[in-house]
Amino acid sequence: MAREKLSRNAPCPCGIGKKYKVCCLKKGIEYAEDASGTIHQSVPVTDEVAGVFRVQREKFVERFGRESGPDDRRRILTCGIPDGRVRVEWLPPAAPGVDSRAEMRLYGLVRIGDRGRAIRFVRDTRHVSRPEAVKLVQKIASDLGLCGDRRRP
């Protein structure tokens, strides 16, 4: 879907109530509007991050034999920049009715090795027993390729 720059005289999407030109545009934050009227923020990325996304796109094409499309419900989990390198991981799509933000937090807790907090988070958000929460955290660790990590949750 093609996007056009947001009009300078439009109300600023940040919600402060000022015109875009005297608010976010002045701060260097760019917004664009698509044909349906949805406003998107343009986020500048470094060459390194652009390269990571390019590699991930190539991996997607290699794995699925096609370019990704708007109906692909995949998410990216970034876990900081260890050793000066950006880490990007593709996660499976969220199941219908699952809060994807909570799920992303859960995957992040498992990825950083904080299984205890991950288990408490599952128990608090999904209202399940401790053994069920442990099973789910172990499954996520397995999905992320962390099976060799024998630390007890």
Side-chain angles (χ1 to χ4, degrees), residues 28 38 52 55 62 145:
T38 304
V52 168
V55 168
E62 183 179 309

Side-chain angles (χ1 to χ4, degrees), residues 9-150:
N9 290 317
C12 191
C14 74
I16 272 186
K18 296 180 181 180
K19 287 187 178 183
Y20 174 52
K21 68 182 176 185
V22 295
C23 190
C24 287
L25 183 61
K26 203 173 196 178
K27 298 173 190 170
I29 302 171
E30 294 183 19
Y31 289 95
E33 187 173 7
D34 64 22
S36 69
T38 304
I39 297 174
H40 305 270
Q41 183 178 356
S42 174
V43 180
V45 295
T46 65
D47 290 340
E48 181 184 8
V49 172
V52 168
F53 287 131
R54 194 171 23 261
V55 168
Q56 292 300 318
R57 185 176 88 21
E58 290 167 2
K59 285 182 180 179
F60 184 92
V61 170
E62 183 179 309
R63 181 174 179 191
F64 297 104
R66 63 178 176 79
E67 291 286 337
S68 63
D71 294 332
D72 292 324
R73 294 177 25 196
R74 301 213 79 24
R75 295 164 293 133
I76 297 175
L77 171 65
T78 58
C79 297
I81 308 176
D83 305 324
R85 299 181 67 204
V86 176
R87 180 177 190 85
V88 177
E89 297 182 39
W90 290 97
L91 296 179
V98 172
D99 179 358
S100 61
R101 290 179 80 177
E103 189 179 17
M104 291 293 289
R105 180 166 179 212
L106 174 59
Y107 271 78
L109 288 169
V110 173
R111 166 50 78 192
I112 64 172
D114 199 343
R115 307 267 174 96
R117 279 183 56 201
I119 290 167
R120 283 191 301 278
F121 183 77
V122 169
R123 291 188 72 194
D124 291 344
T125 58
R126 299 191 184 188
H127 309 291
V128 297
S129 67
R130 179 168 169 65
E132 289 176 281
V134 169
K135 260 188 214 175
L136 179 61
V137 169
Q138 288 173 339
K139 181 188 178 316
I140 291 170
S142 173
D143 292 348
L144 292 174
L146 302 174
C147 297
D149 187 359
R150 300 267 187 230

